[in-house]
Amino acid sequence: MNSRTLEIGVGLFVAAGLAALFMLAMQVSNLASLGGDADSYTVTAGFENIGGLKVRSPVTVSGVRVGRVSAIDYDTTAYEAVVTLSIDSTYNAFPNDTSASIFTAGLLGEQYIALDPGGAMENLGEGSRIRLTQSALVMEQIIGQFLYSMAAKNEEKTSEE
Amino acid sequence: MLDAIQQLGRATLDFFERLGRGHLFLMQVLVSVPATLLRPRLVLRQMHSVGVLTLLIIVVSGLFVGMVMGLQGYNTLVDFGAEDSLGVLVALSLVRELGPVVTALLFAGRAGSALSAEIGLMKATEQLSGMEMMAVDPVRRVIAPRFLSAFLSMPLLAAIFSAIGVYGGWFIGVSLLGVDDGAFWSQMQDKVDLHGDVYNGVIKSVVFGFVVGWIALFEGYDAVPTAEGVSRATTQTVVHSALAVLGLDFVLTALMFGD
């Protein structure tokens, strides 16, 4: 085989390999949606129970993703979980009485934090703390409460009779 | 009785001697690699026979593995109404495991066995000794370019395998079975992590390329210089490479995704 076709073959092979790596990075993984840490700011929020929330879970407002959970710690003095949210700095005008709730995407989906803007004049900034939070709903607790209230109702009925 | 013990002892000593020779051989090859970089033409020629000629089997296998993943994944996920996650399933299994491992197994079968047979035959026909007589270092002239090209080709082949596989899964899932196109890609992009999944997959394929290249070249270089010896070396390359790849894959997976 002459040297030119051989070189073209190797060149095409390497180009195809690099294109495949590029495709895996851009199309398959989250490189395109990562964004640098430089253009984001962090706020913290304390939750009684974070359920199945994980680092890198999404943070949304009205369903639009505005950031990610960057760290989860436990505060041993306040007895609550402290979640650090890293929010894209294009979304820098949330009032400082914005509330944060942990919801579940779908019935069995992953958990995410939804922010609900309040009406205060001052905005959240780097290092602010979100005061109003709502914990994750834990399925067992809900079922437990439901069963308890059913039992209570039944008891009322039987006592009325 | 004593004979049996003696045989056991000899087998053990032989094993360790061979292991030691293998490592000395690897050292020799690694030392020769920088010198090889000065002669890229030799590497280029080997890249052609090791990489380019393996491309076809990699592309076809990748396509079919991806298509099977798409079918099987769809049939399982549709029971839970989670067929939108098909993209995640296909991409994660390919990028993390199937891409590097299946590519390495095919690579050992297609390119590794060819390398062993070539080197073994060179030894059997005394071409390697001939080179030494002419003061040409056969490790530097023959072995190192082959090792380098195996090492460079494996990650590229694994990446091509995974990328083609994802498109195979996409073809079955989206075009034939009616999974939503947007959900397929967006869920995949959401769940597949560049560092955690893609980089680790590439690291795996680099390690496998190193190991398969080493085993193939050592088996050839260390072959008994007869027809039977060469055939034995070729077989052992495929068997040992497959075992090494699967064993190492477990260790690497435990290290990378074990937490």
Side-chain angles (χ1 to χ4, degrees):
Chain A
M1 180 175 297
N2 82 31
S3 153
R4 189 175 152 75
T5 45
L6 189 139
E7 278 167 20
I8 291 172
V10 175
L12 284 177
F13 165 58
V14 174
L18 294 179
L21 273 180
F22 185 73
M23 180 265 172
L24 288 179
M26 298 305 292
Q27 183 87 346
V28 174
S29 78
N30 52 2
L31 179 66
S33 57
L34 261 183
D37 284 342
D39 50 357
S40 67
Y41 62 100
T42 58
V43 298
T44 57
F47 290 95
E48 219 169 88
N49 189 338
I50 59 164
L53 197 73
K54 293 189 187 69
V55 172
R56 296 184 52 75
S57 292
V59 177
T60 65
V61 179
S62 312
V64 178
R65 221 195 73 207
V66 296
R68 283 189 182 280
V69 172
S70 57
I72 297 174
D73 292 304
Y74 185 70
D75 184 346
T76 45
T77 51
Y79 300 114
E80 60 177 17
V82 179
V83 177
T84 309
L85 316 176
S86 158
I87 300 177
D88 207 345
S89 43
T90 32
Y91 308 103
N92 58 358
F94 293 120
N96 67 3
D97 61 345
T98 294
S99 66
S101 331
I102 299 178
F103 290 141
T104 309
L107 196 57
L108 299 167
E110 62 173 341
Q111 292 193 301
Y112 65 97
I113 291 190
L115 299 179
D116 196 10
M121 298 304 286
E122 278 177 50
N123 286 338
L124 287 174
E126 171 70 36
S128 321
R129 189 175 178 85
I130 294 177
R131 307 265 162 222
L132 302 167
T133 62
Q134 188 195 328
S135 286
L137 292 174
V138 178
M139 199 57 92
E140 287 86 341
Q141 281 177 1
I142 299 173
I143 294 172
Q145 280 171 2
F146 175 72
L147 289 177
Y148 188 76
S149 66
M150 286 296 283
K153 251 184 210 167
N154 281 344
E155 220 159 86
E156 268 175 34
K157 264 187 198 165
T158 45
S159 63
E160 275 171 21
E161 285 167 12
Chain B
M1 179 65 193
L2 214 56
D3 278 357
I5 292 176
Q6 189 201 347
Q7 267 189 345
L8 180 69
R10 181 192 283 172
T12 314
L13 288 177
D14 279 352
F15 172 77
F16 280 110
E17 195 196 332
R18 201 167 146 75
L19 201 67
R21 277 209 304 279
H23 281 88
L24 285 176
F25 173 78
L26 180 66
M27 286 300 184
Q28 231 179 325
V29 172
L30 289 181
V31 167
S32 317
V33 163
T36 308
L37 290 174
L38 296 176
R39 306 200 48 190
R41 198 148 277 281
L42 289 176
V43 182
L44 193 83
R45 191 163 284 277
Q46 292 312 316
M47 282 283 274
H48 183 260
S49 66
V50 167
V52 179
L53 297 182
T54 315
L55 202 54
L56 185 68
I57 188 175
I58 293 294
V59 168
V60 174
S61 319
L63 187 67
F64 280 108
V65 167
M67 279 160 56
V68 169
M69 295 283 307
L71 267 179
Q72 291 282 15
Y74 181 83
N75 285 336
T76 309
L77 289 172
V78 80
D79 289 344
F80 305 100
E83 67 268 24
D84 284 350
S85 304
L86 185 66
V88 185
L89 177 89
V90 172
L92 275 186
S93 4
L94 279 168
V95 168
R96 281 184 175 182
E97 293 292 337
L98 289 175
V101 172
V102 177
T103 308
L105 294 179
L106 292 170
F107 186 75
R110 166 65 185 75
S113 59
L115 285 176
S116 283
E118 192 184 11
I119 305 288
L121 212 60
M122 277 186 180
K123 192 182 178 192
T125 53
E126 298 187 340
Q127 294 180 46
L128 295 182
S129 325
M131 280 185 181
E132 273 169 24
M133 296 294 283
M134 292 185 287
V136 176
D137 183 1
V139 171
R140 190 179 283 193
R141 182 70 171 72
V142 175
I143 308 281
R146 286 168 171 74
F147 179 76
L148 196 63
S149 61
F151 180 67
L152 293 176
S153 300
M154 242 315 280
L156 296 175
L157 289 170
I160 292 173
F161 185 96
S162 299
I164 297 271
V166 168
Y167 279 111
W170 172 83
F171 174 71
I172 292 291
V174 175
S175 307
L176 296 185
L177 296 174
V179 175
D180 183 56
D181 191 25
F184 185 88
W185 290 111
S186 68
Q187 289 224 12
M188 188 193 299
Q189 282 164 9
D190 205 41
K191 295 278 168 53
V192 181
D193 188 40
L194 181 69
H195 294 270
D197 300 320
V198 178
Y199 284 180
N200 280 340
V202 172
I203 291 173
K204 272 187 181 178
S205 61
V206 169
V207 172
F208 295 161
F210 186 93
V211 170
V212 173
W214 175 25
I215 290 176
L217 292 169
F218 178 66
E219 289 289 353
Y221 194 72
D222 200 50
V224 181
T226 57
E228 197 197 347
V230 174
S231 99
R232 207 179 146 76
T234 315
T235 314
Q236 288 208 330
T237 295
V238 178
V239 174
H240 289 175
S241 300
L243 290 177
V245 164
L246 293 171
L248 268 175
D249 181 52
F250 173 73
V251 174
L252 288 174
T253 303
L255 286 177
M256 288 167 174
F257 307 107
D259 52 331

